[in-house]
Amino acid sequence: MFAAVVAALLQTQTPAPALEVRIAGAWIGWPNYAAGAAVARPGLLDAAIAWEDSADGLRTGSFEVRTAEGALRNSMAVVELDPRRFRFDLALLPPDGRRSAADHLAADSTLVLVSNTGLFRVNGTPHGLVMLDGRRRSALAGWLDAVVVLDSAGVHVTDIATAAREMPPGSSGFQTLPFLVRDQHVVFGWTSGLKLSRTHRDRRITLCLNPGRIRLFLSNFEVFGATAGRVPIGLTIPEQALIAAGMGCAEAAALDGGISSQIAIRVGKRVVRWPGWRRVPLVLQVRRR
């Protein structure tokens, strides 16, 4: 069975994959996707995840990817949620009151997960649209092409044109960029993120949406197997899009990366933290229903 899955994966990729994934001690080429290509979800890629912690509707794990030449390795943290079991909202803090994700989790025992969201300015104010429970707190920014919406149906993404016309009543939301996958097709380099660097390496955090499942992926940089989890060097955004596509995300957007990337999660009595170096003004909060 394993050999058959490997063979099927190799048939879907170009001769020179940009990334490799570690499966059972072996490095296997990650599928490449051209801009506009439909995403796929080869079973091998899910097999790469080592699940570590779990609770009702929630689990965490990790897998390893590296550049094809093997010099740069990233340990990818994975958080998976069943959105039917959780409530999602945003917490906006004043610039001088910014907190880390771990700070939020420590201060509120009802929180299950806290993550950073979109970009923000040096003065601590968020870039682009912020909506809190139907109230607009800042204006749309034309250069941020993705809007993450939190409403009674859960979490979904839309574009700025749609968000400018109408946001669901009582919803919250924030802008970010770029879209990585839209409607099950790779869009980075096609309609999204055209002005962003394709070669800059940084720590990356991805919001991946599928019916009945939300995943967050956070890359942690390693050099020749030695972890340096908070060092902001790692994937390019095109590589981030490849991972989102290879994991079969129906919709995927990049959240603020680099030293802002952070997640804190409570699994039973255990708290798992992937910290960043910055305190941030706007966070995604998750509680049980």
Side-chain angles (χ1 to χ4, degrees):
M1 179 65 180
F2 179 79
V5 174
V6 171
L9 175 62
L10 294 177
Q11 289 175 3
T12 69
Q13 65 186 36
T14 62
L19 294 174
E20 296 176 334
V21 59
R22 191 168 187 173
I23 306 287
W27 290 100
I28 307 297
W30 191 277
N32 280 345
Y33 296 86
V39 306
R41 193 170 147 210
L44 182 65
L45 300 185
D46 270 343
I49 301 176
W51 296 107
E52 294 147 12
D53 296 283
S54 64
D56 192 22
L58 166 68
R59 57 180 177 171
T60 71
S62 63
F63 64 100
E64 290 182 277
V65 295
R66 71 178 187 182
T67 52
E69 71 276 9
L72 297 175
R73 183 188 301 183
N74 271 251
S75 173
M76 302 290 298
V78 184
V79 180
E80 183 179 279
L81 295 163
D82 178 348
R84 295 165 296 187
R85 299 176 181 271
F86 298 93
R87 296 182 290 113
F88 302 84
D89 62 28
L90 297 175
L92 176 64
L93 299 173
D96 59 356
R98 284 173 279 178
R99 288 180 171 184
S100 69
D103 291 337
H104 283 273
L105 204 72
D108 186 343
S109 62
T110 69
L111 289 171
V112 173
L113 181 147
V114 180
S115 169
N116 67 292
T117 56
L119 288 73
F120 58 95
R121 301 177 181 85
V122 174
N123 68 4
T125 59
H127 277 296
L129 176 72
V130 174
M131 292 280 293
L132 295 180
D133 300 324
R135 295 180 58 200
R136 189 179 295 261
R137 303 296 296 270
S138 58
L140 279 162
W143 60 279
L144 293 170
D145 58 1
V147 180
V148 178
V149 180
L150 316 177
D151 58 22
S152 59
V155 181
H156 56 98
V157 293
T158 190
D159 54 65
I160 58 174
T162 302
R165 291 194 303 269
E166 182 179 0
M167 291 281 285
S171 65
S172 297
F174 63 93
Q175 279 188 270
T176 187
L177 97 165
F179 278 119
L180 304 170
V181 175
R182 287 232 71 192
D183 298 324
Q184 302 184 57
H185 287 78
V186 178
V187 296
F188 177 73
W190 179 36
T191 62
S192 176
L194 293 174
K195 295 183 179 180
L196 297 178
S197 170
R198 285 159 171 71
T199 58
H200 175 67
R201 294 193 172 277
D202 217 332
R203 202 170 184 220
R204 305 290 178 188
I205 185 167
T206 304
L207 174 66
C208 169
L209 303 178
N210 280 301
R213 183 175 64 189
I214 295 172
R215 280 178 169 175
L216 289 166
F217 302 114
L218 175 60
S219 61
N220 294 290
F221 177 60
E222 297 182 4
V223 184
F224 302 116
T227 185
R230 288 173 57 173
V231 176
I233 304 172
L235 301 175
T236 64
I237 293 182
E239 290 168 350
Q240 185 182 15
L242 288 182
I243 289 173
M247 279 295 177
C249 302
E251 307 277 352
L255 304 184
D256 190 12
I259 59 178
S260 296
S261 301
Q262 54 194 282
I263 302 173
I265 183 169
R266 196 188 318 273
V267 188
K269 295 182 178 180
R270 175 173 160 78
V271 174
V272 182
R273 300 179 182 89
W274 295 283
W277 284 357
R278 284 181 177 148
R279 291 181 172 86
V280 295
L282 183 71
V283 295
L284 171 66
Q285 299 187 135
V286 181
R287 294 176 174 87
R288 291 199 175 274
R289 290 189 182 274

